[in-house]
Amino acid sequence: MRSGLHSHAPVARRWLRQLVSGLVALPLSALPFVAYVNLTPEGRLVRDRALVALRPPTLPSLTRAELVAATAAAPQYGGKVMALAYHGIGSASDGDGGFIVSPDRFGEHLATLRAAGMHTVTARQVAQAFDGGRPLPRNAVMISFDDGRTDAMMFADPLLAEAHMAATMFVITGAAAEPGIYYASWDKLEGYAHSGRWDLQAHTDRLHRERKAAGGQVLPALTSLEPGESLAEYRARVRADLGRASAAIEDHTGHAPVAFAYPFGAYGAERTNDPQVRSVLREEVTQRYAVAFHQDGQATIPLAGSDDDRLGLRRLEVGDWSGLQLIKRIRAAADRTPGLEHPAPVTPEPDEVDGGQEPAGEPVAAPDTPGSTTSAAPVTTPPPAKRRAPSVPSVTGPAGAPPSTAVPTTGGTSPPSTAPVAGGPTPSTTLPPTTAPPIVTTTTTPATTTTIPPTTTTTDARGCRSHGQGGVCTPR
């Protein structure tokens, strides 16, 4: 009997050693997966997809002080637009550095833009307004993204929906046709376009890349001649690529694109191996698009207007700024815009806000309206047709009018408040889809107007223009 017990002891010890080894090896076996989802762009994107599905991002709360500060810093302008360029949202950075903003930061931007009375418009609306169509609303802002990146759209879309705002995506159509994990597929892009929140425009088909030219210089394919290529051959190459890009967008959305974003912000003024490329490229872009955007001169960008070079409109590359910093940069661009009248809003001190209640604004656009956060007249957007549908009336933005800077002091009925603030001192956790016009104080004596002088902020020039299809941030 005793010998039997001794015979089982080695087996038990061996089983125990195996159990301990397995428990130790279990977390070690998970290390490659943990490293993948945290240390690689692709892995972070996989992780972020799961996070968005479980808990979509939402707009943040703004304190009363933040509301007052946004209103005080906001510019007041009409007939112009501030074009903003985002590159990515989330953690799937591909070397863009400061060009990637978090979902929380992007939500803060949207909430602050709305609190400051800014109206979002699309590139199509800008093109139509500049061509004599319906005028842009006051304080127009064009939110745009490049490339058709999966992370940008999956994080931005729920925030845009909650804010009742719209954005423009400049799509690399060749990447959408062969999406992989980094770029959104056409199926996804069609869904975004049909939501009414996304305006899809052109960013080339296969020419969003860089290559080595003669002498080892790395140049954008769109603005450089290939070895032995003549100008006529260059023209044919560019014409064919832009034609494919436009046809693909029209095929998948029902609307031919009217706007173009130059890859890497390069349009031939520099980063070329032949000075004649610029004029040839401009002629080809003119044949297909009404407006085109680049990012030169970040420190001196003004608002864009119909009297500017419509094929050389500039976008401000948005970094990891606070919402107020973004508003101040828009104000600085307005201050730099020649001949622009930008009266300062009427703003009370923070302790003069009546119970933290947000003043009434302009009529609110319908929830499914894509053009702007609020408008003086509703914006109608026909659902884009699929697969080369017949021509659909274009989307246009409302003609906004500056809000009243005072409310009746006696008699009459004040407009209903749009967003009462719970508890008085703290505003609503989610701002209503309306412009926050200048805040005023209602008293029994004539109102006192406090003018906030313009705030001038200079934007530092960035060393990178954009990232390539292969994820390269190219120094200027």
Side-chain angles (χ1 to χ4, degrees), residues 40-54:
T40 68
E42 296 82 2
R44 287 193 293 266
L45 189 54
V46 170
R47 180 197 63 195
D48 290 346
R49 280 179 172 173
L51 293 176
V52 170
L54 294 173

Side-chain angles (χ1 to χ4, degrees), residues 1 19 180 189-190 213 247 418 464:
M1 184 71 178
L19 178 61
L189 291 171
E190 286 179 8
T418 57
C464 299

Side-chain angles (χ1 to χ4, degrees), residues 62-68 350-351 353-357 420-428:
L62 293 183
T63 66
R64 185 194 308 180
E66 289 171 331
L67 287 170
V68 172
D351 58 354
V353 179
D354 186 12
Q357 191 172 36
V421 177
T426 305
S428 173

Side-chain angles (χ1 to χ4, degrees), residues 21 25 90 118 133 193 250 283 306 366:
S21 299
M118 313 305 289
E250 184 174 10
E283 291 169 2
S306 59

Side-chain angles (χ1 to χ4, degrees), residues 76-94:
Q76 299 293 317
Y77 57 86
K80 304 281 186 178
V81 63
M82 179 77 257
L84 303 177
Y86 290 85
H87 294 279
I89 297 179
S91 57
S93 173
D94 61 349

Side-chain angles (χ1 to χ4, degrees), residues 27 53 56 64 101 113 141 146 160 184 189 217 232 278 288 355 474:
R64 185 194 308 180
V101 300
L113 287 171
V141 174
D146 285 351
L160 291 170
L189 291 171
Q217 189 178 13
R278 182 179 182 180
R288 294 190 176 276
T474 306

Side-chain angles (χ1 to χ4, degrees), residues 139-325:
N139 300 345
V141 174
M142 187 190 88
I143 297 174
S144 66
F145 295 83
D146 285 351
D147 304 341
R149 291 172 55 146
T150 298
D151 63 337
M153 303 190 87
M154 75 177 184
F155 277 118
D157 189 61
L159 293 169
L160 291 170
E162 185 179 353
H164 301 289
M165 291 182 174
T168 296
M169 176 62 77
F170 291 99
V171 179
I172 305 171
T173 56
E178 301 172 0
I181 191 172
Y182 189 71
Y183 296 100
S185 66
W186 275 121
D187 287 343
K188 289 286 188 182
L189 291 171
E190 286 179 8
Y192 288 126
H194 294 166
S195 74
R197 291 184 291 275
W198 291 91
D199 172 34
L200 304 187
Q201 298 295 334
H203 203 35
T204 72
D205 181 58
R206 302 281 178 175
L207 292 182
H208 193 296
R209 56 185 173 84
E210 293 180 308
R211 58 179 182 77
K212 280 190 177 181
Q217 189 178 13
V218 178
L219 297 173
L222 184 66
T223 58
S224 60
L225 300 180
E226 294 181 348
E229 185 178 46
S230 67
L231 276 174
E233 291 169 332
Y234 166 78
R235 181 190 295 275
R237 173 164 61 90
V238 170
R239 179 179 297 176
D241 184 89
L242 299 185
R244 289 192 301 270
S246 295
I249 292 172
E250 184 174 10
D251 183 45
H252 288 279
T253 69
H255 302 288
V258 296
F260 180 73
Y262 298 98
F264 312 104
Y267 54 97
E270 52 188 46
R271 301 197 68 203
T272 182
N273 52 8
D274 191 316
Q276 299 180 81
V277 159
R278 182 179 182 180
S279 61
V280 174
L281 176 58
R282 183 181 180 89
E283 291 169 2
E284 293 304 317
V285 171
T286 302
Q287 294 298 315
R288 294 190 176 276
Y289 310 109
V291 292
F293 299 87
H294 63 80
Q295 291 86 254
D296 275 3
Q298 287 290 294
T300 60
I301 289 178
L303 303 178
S306 59
D307 52 348
D308 296 323
D309 177 9
R310 298 184 191 180
L311 298 185
L313 302 177
R314 288 192 277 170
R315 295 184 296 168
L316 178 65
E317 292 181 319
V318 180
D320 187 26
W321 310 325
S322 70
L324 184 59
Q325 287 174 325

